[in-house]
Amino acid sequence: MASPRTAVAGTAARNKVSRTGRLVSAPRMGLVPSVQRLPLDEILVGDCIAAMNALPPASVDCVFADPPYNLQLGEGALLRPDHSRVDAVDDAWDQFSSFAQYDEFSRAWLAAARRVMKPNATLWVIGSYHNIFRVGTVLQDLGFWILNDIVWRKANPMPNFRGKRFTNAHETLIWASRSADSKGYTFHYEALKGGNDDVQMRSDWFIPLCTGDERLKGADGQKVHPTQKPEALLARTILSATNPGDVILDPFFGTGTTGAVAKRLGRRFIGIERETVYADAARARIAAVEPLSTAALLVAPTKRAEPRVAFLSVIEAGHIRAGETLTDARGRHSAIVRPDGTLMVGPASGSIHKIGALVQGLPACNGWDFWHATRAGKPVVIDVFRGKMRAAMAGAA
């Protein structure tokens, strides 16, 4: 049996493929072979829809898609005020005859991608104002559930040369689960927060365009691909929504940014690219990538995954004493520790969370982060003592 790469490429050669992803000769559709194994860390050269339809169902953990934007530049060149030509995207792969044709193409590739996604897999799709709203509508029509839209704010956007519009300084990523019922998708909230100075990662990302040594160039010194994405952008999506060893599918592989970052971060990839020149550049690029060490790729355990420790257990272990006074970080609020593991403020008593919310006049509070005990004259957040007990439990195991 031919390899998946040969099979897909051979099918594409035998059958003319339309921009909507359908074979022009409908009776030959059934000739696309079904891949019995996942072509891990391979680039399949051919039409993305035919290639995805040949993959096993429910076989990938994540999809990152950078589809054609349908920029509609037409026949006219984009010129600067000095009449020099702007190196814009005018390639054939970005041209569609109508919005209807683009919508049909979007439905076809999104349906194919959804078929190969595992039940708890997620999908990222990036676009500009030219296409992302149309893609988002199709995505929802097919049953995907949008989790977030991310604004990629470019640190160095291309200026608006004519001065008749705002500078296009961002692109939008949609992050979606396979359906509204997909509750177990991967999201590394704590890791992202820890890398963001212990502040929740926001949905606006300030990342520079792909420039310098990262930008792939040909022998003529020109860009190999007009819309190569920065590795930092792919790294953030991959780190947030996948685990080491997960399989990431990129149906519009281009020059292989997804594959390069996946390899470095210990993930597997499947790339699909119809243009041979891009696929060749991607293979050479990925071959030069050195993966990070296993230790560097370990995913920090989430707090929810750590063993539960009750506040009463912290008292019983002697880390905090019954009768001791706890305060907030600034000493504005205080409460007495009771021997049963509750706190008391005046006539009110309750859990560390309930009393923390009460003294602040808030509907909820994480008492582990709010309350502090005084040690050596300084406030120490009580979560430190819970951490010591968890470490002791891990050592005993």
Side-chain angles (χ1 to χ4, degrees):
M1 180 178 177
S3 70
R5 181 186 301 163
T6 305
V8 173
T11 301
R14 290 192 301 270
N15 304 278
K16 184 178 180 182
V17 180
S18 74
R19 279 316 310 256
T20 62
R22 298 179 303 180
L23 300 179
V24 174
S25 177
R28 299 179 67 87
M29 179 69 81
L31 295 179
V32 177
S34 177
V35 176
Q36 298 304 311
R37 66 170 181 85
L38 279 180
L40 296 177
D41 304 326
E42 294 185 27
I43 304 173
L44 308 179
V45 179
D47 173 69
C48 70
I49 299 163
M52 283 190 283
N53 286 335
L55 296 175
S59 56
V60 304
D61 300 287
C62 185
V63 176
F64 183 90
D66 184 8
Y69 284 11
N70 191 24
L71 295 179
Q72 310 152 48
L73 293 181
E75 299 298 327
L78 185 59
L79 302 178
R80 299 182 177 88
D82 63 1
H83 300 293
S84 61
R85 180 167 180 160
V86 176
D87 185 16
V89 180
D90 54 4
D91 304 78
W93 48 259
D94 192 59
Q95 296 175 8
F96 294 81
S97 62
S98 64
F99 286 133
Q101 188 195 34
Y102 187 80
D103 292 347
E104 185 179 1
F105 170 69
S106 297
R107 277 191 295 272
W109 77 257
L110 280 166
R114 191 169 187 268
R115 186 189 71 85
V116 300
M117 291 170 64
K118 294 178 182 178
N120 292 327
T122 56
L123 172 140
W124 296 85
V125 58
I126 186 170
S128 68
Y129 70 87
H130 302 87
N131 72 320
I132 197 63
F133 304 111
R134 307 191 75 87
V135 170
T137 296
V138 173
L139 214 147
Q140 290 180 309
D141 288 345
L142 290 175
F144 286 92
W145 186 257
I146 295 178
L147 300 169
N148 275 113
D149 66 320
I150 306 294
V151 174
W152 167 31
R153 229 181 109 215
K154 302 174 183 178
N156 47 347
M158 179 184 293
N160 184 271
F161 295 106
R162 296 179 180 177
K164 294 182 183 264
R165 301 185 185 182
F166 296 105
T167 297
N168 294 324
H170 78 278
E171 291 183 28
T172 300
L173 296 94
I174 295 175
W175 182 42
S177 59
R178 194 178 182 280
S179 72
D181 299 326
S182 303
K183 305 299 184 184
Y185 58 85
T186 297
F187 180 55
H188 294 297
Y189 168 84
E190 284 87 358
L192 290 168
K193 183 177 178 181
N196 195 42
D197 295 333
D198 287 325
V199 177
Q200 283 189 350
M201 183 66 70
R202 292 161 45 116
S203 60
D204 52 335
W205 299 353
F206 187 63
I207 297 174
L209 288 166
C210 179
T211 58
D213 293 340
E214 187 182 325
R215 168 68 77 170
L216 269 61
K217 295 183 179 179
D220 58 359
Q222 299 300 309
K223 294 181 292 187
V224 173
H225 195 290
T227 63
Q228 181 181 334
K229 295 300 184 289
E231 292 188 5
L233 182 69
L234 267 296
R236 192 173 294 187
T237 63
I238 289 173
L239 288 171
S240 67
T242 68
N243 297 304
D246 279 359
V247 178
I248 304 169
L249 169 68
D250 187 335
F252 307 97
F253 203 60
T255 52
T257 303
T258 299
V261 176
K263 181 179 177 181
R264 182 174 294 113
L265 297 179
R267 276 70 168 171
R268 313 301 296 272
F269 71 86
I270 300 171
I272 306 172
E273 175 52 52
R274 72 177 218 172
E275 304 291 340
T276 303
V277 64
Y278 297 157
D280 290 343
R283 289 193 189 98
R285 174 187 187 182
I286 294 168
V289 171
E290 290 292 333
L292 294 175
S293 67
T294 302
L297 295 173
L298 288 176
V299 178
T302 65
K303 290 185 178 180
R304 291 182 181 180
E306 293 178 312
R308 183 178 181 276
V309 175
F311 183 60
L312 177 60
S313 298
V314 175
I315 298 172
E316 293 170 340
H319 294 297
I320 292 177
R321 302 180 308 278
E324 185 174 351
T325 298
L326 302 184
T327 67
D328 67 308
R330 298 183 181 181
R332 295 171 298 180
H333 306 288
S334 62
I336 304 297
V337 177
R338 291 162 51 100
D340 61 1
T342 61
L343 299 185
M344 181 174 64
V345 174
S349 65
S351 70
I352 57 174
H353 313 297
K354 180 178 178 181
I355 297 302
L358 176 67
V359 298
Q360 297 178 88
L362 298 175
C365 168
N366 183 342
W368 291 107
D369 295 331
F370 177 73
W371 292 112
H372 292 65
T374 301
R375 298 290 182 270
K378 296 182 179 180
V380 176
V381 67
I382 64 172
D383 197 35
V384 168
F385 307 119
R386 180 172 64 162
K388 289 181 178 180
M389 294 194 65
R390 283 174 169 166
M393 294 165 68

